[in-house]
Amino acid sequence: MEAKILTLIVGILLFAADNAGAHNITRILAAHPTLSTFNHYLTLTHLAAEINRRRTITVCVVNNDAMAELLDKHYTLPTIKNILSLHIFADYFGAKKLHQVSKGSTTTSSLFQATGEAAGTSGYVNITDMKGGKVGFSPVDSDSAHPVATFVKSVQESPYDLAVIQISRILSSPEAEAPTAGPGELNVTTIMAKQGCKDFSDLIIEQGVAETFSQSLQGGLTIFCPSGETLKDFMPKFKKLSADNKTSLLLFHGVPIYNSLGMLKSSNGLLNTLATEGARKYDFTVQTDGDVVKLETKVVTATITGTLIDEDPLAVFKINKVLQPTELFKAAPAPKAAKSAFEDDSADAPSSNDDDDDSTSADSTSDGGVTLLRRWVFTVLFTPVFVTLLVSF
């Protein structure tokens, strides 16, 4: 009996190990030589990492001939990234679903829309069921009156999670093909100002550190930009800092390497910043909680709320709090030990700490981990394979 139980446990662990890893689009397409060019450019533009980190997604691939037509136009790599982003849908569309589209037509959001690169609704794609069992695809702002491409075949499907399908031609649009500035032409503060981080951008310019950010761009740069409202609430604290400390605080929001959102999610740990200097570490910890990326400084915990730009070598993310380093601010108090049954309830009286909301982040992360664990156990135990195994015992 013990041997049977051990066998069952081993089986569960093997099943979990097999299903714990996310899909790998590079590995999937590597088995199809005719799709090798598309696969190569997914890696080159960092879109592969973005696909791999998402749970529900559809990738519309094209063969090498179709990719050759695209490359013959000599677009810059950032523009090619925008065009290929139109081929990645933030929803599941397997072959069966494509041929059973509600009301014969639907519109879905692409990664081009999700990253914020598309203006208005130009990152959406129309999917239409056509005569003869065909399925057509066309960006909403396409110049063509007819579908730009049609469904060819399913490459690989994992129902409701991942669909890799082949379509006949490249999906493109005037917005996606619009010239995109190269790294050397990017003005970091101008980008932030245009995308809703004008207050932080102005502060960088006023404090005279814009040049430091610009000089870091060639080697790769990631910036975490507090929203205007967040910065406004923080200004009383900021004004009390010395000139040098104000500079350090602003530089603390820049990391001297490029990190896409997918890279941040897959590489939790400490990050040095532009303010790091010798013993003055000025670092913070990246921590993923499901699809949420948090930045922990021991003083506050900020959350990434949006992407302003993500084009190697520059990534700018919007965050909901100003990052406060321990070199300049007092660390949040450690969580209190669990109260014994003999302790007075009065010990639980709330304290008057302005940053109490930040000190709860560790507990929130812990609760999220427990929730995910419960969900995993429920999923595994009620998978038909293991129900059958349990019955056999």
Side-chain angles (χ1 to χ4, degrees):
M1 181 63 181
E2 290 181 357
K4 288 185 177 181
I5 293 175
L6 181 60
T7 300
L8 179 60
I9 292 173
V10 171
I12 291 174
L13 292 175
L14 289 173
F15 176 83
D18 184 56
N19 288 274
H23 42 255
N24 187 314
I25 188 64
T26 304
R27 190 177 303 159
I28 291 170
L29 295 183
H32 303 273
T34 59
L35 307 176
S36 61
T37 306
F38 190 91
N39 192 17
H40 172 69
Y41 275 89
L42 285 184
T43 300
L44 208 58
T45 57
H46 300 287
L47 288 172
E50 189 68 19
I51 292 168
N52 292 342
R53 77 170 186 83
R54 291 175 178 264
R55 179 63 186 271
T56 303
I57 200 160
T58 297
V59 184
C60 301
V61 302
V62 297
N63 64 22
N64 295 341
D65 290 339
M67 279 298 295
E69 291 182 17
L70 172 64
L71 298 177
D72 283 345
K73 297 180 180 180
H74 304 291
Y75 292 126
T76 63
L77 189 61
T79 299
I80 291 175
K81 179 178 181 180
N82 286 345
I83 294 171
L84 295 186
S85 294
L86 273 172
H87 296 69
I88 304 165
F89 305 155
D91 198 355
Y92 175 80
F93 285 95
K96 183 177 180 180
K97 183 176 179 180
L98 284 174
H99 288 92
Q100 296 177 348
V101 173
S102 177
K103 298 181 181 180
S105 181
T106 189
T107 301
T108 189
S109 174
S110 72
L111 200 58
F112 185 42
Q113 185 73 30
T115 57
E117 293 299 318
T121 59
S122 60
Y124 285 86
V125 176
N126 290 325
I127 302 175
T128 306
D129 283 344
M130 304 162 63
K131 287 183 179 180
K134 293 183 178 181
V135 180
F137 300 85
S138 186
V140 294
D141 67 338
S142 170
D143 292 331
S144 175
H146 304 287
V148 173
T150 56
F151 173 74
V152 176
K153 66 179 181 179
S154 173
V155 176
Q156 182 166 320
E157 297 182 17
S158 178
Y160 312 111
D161 287 338
L162 170 72
V164 182
I165 60 176
Q166 184 177 342
I167 59 177
S168 60
R169 296 184 61 194
I170 285 285
L171 298 176
S172 193
S173 68
E175 180 70 21
E177 293 176 2
T180 304
E185 303 168 357
L186 295 176
N187 185 310
V188 177
T189 51
T190 299
I191 292 171
M192 290 192 290
K194 288 182 177 179
Q195 297 294 337
C197 271
K198 187 177 187 304
D199 293 338
F200 189 66
S201 171
D202 290 345
L203 206 54
I204 288 175
I205 295 172
E206 290 170 10
Q207 198 59 34
V209 294
E211 185 63 25
T212 303
F213 281 92
S214 297
Q215 289 175 351
S216 301
L217 186 58
Q218 291 302 323
L221 179 64
T222 303
I223 301 173
F224 300 99
C225 182
S227 65
E229 192 64 31
T230 297
L231 197 60
K232 180 180 178 182
D233 293 339
F234 181 76
M235 285 309 294
K237 281 187 177 182
F238 183 78
K239 290 178 180 178
K240 293 179 182 179
L241 298 174
S242 67
D244 285 345
N245 287 344
K246 286 178 180 177
T247 295
S248 294
L249 179 73
L250 297 177
L251 294 178
F252 187 59
H253 289 74
V255 174
I257 57 173
Y258 166 77
N259 286 283
S260 68
L261 190 59
M263 292 165 71
L264 290 172
K265 287 189 174 185
S266 62
S267 57
N268 291 351
L270 286 173
L271 282 181
N272 286 336
T273 66
L274 294 177
T276 300
E277 184 178 8
R280 295 170 65 82
K281 293 188 178 298
Y282 279 100
D283 55 17
F284 57 80
T285 301
V286 177
Q287 186 66 45
T288 302
D289 183 7
D291 273 342
V292 178
V293 178
K294 297 182 178 182
L295 312 177
E296 301 175 354
T297 73
K298 295 183 180 179
V299 181
V300 297
T301 298
T303 300
I304 293 179
T305 59
T307 301
L308 303 186
I309 185 171
D310 185 0
E311 295 176 3
D312 192 359
L314 174 65
V316 182
F317 301 104
K318 202 167 187 177
I319 55 177
N320 67 344
K321 292 184 182 180
V322 174
L323 298 176
Q324 300 176 45
T326 54
E327 286 81 2
L328 302 179
F329 300 94
K330 185 178 179 181
K336 293 180 180 180
K339 184 182 67 173
S340 71
F342 301 101
E343 289 180 333
D344 193 335
D345 288 341
S346 64
D348 290 334
S351 62
S352 56
N353 189 336
D354 290 339
D355 292 326
D356 278 349
D357 58 325
D358 301 316
S359 64
T360 62
S361 61
D363 292 335
S364 299
T365 302
S366 176
D367 291 343
V370 172
T371 300
L372 288 172
L373 179 59
R374 287 172 179 164
R375 188 179 301 167
W376 175 84
V377 171
F378 181 86
T379 301
V380 170
L381 291 181
F382 288 92
T383 300
V385 174
F386 291 105
V387 171
T388 303
L389 284 172
L390 286 170
V391 170
S392 68
F393 282 102

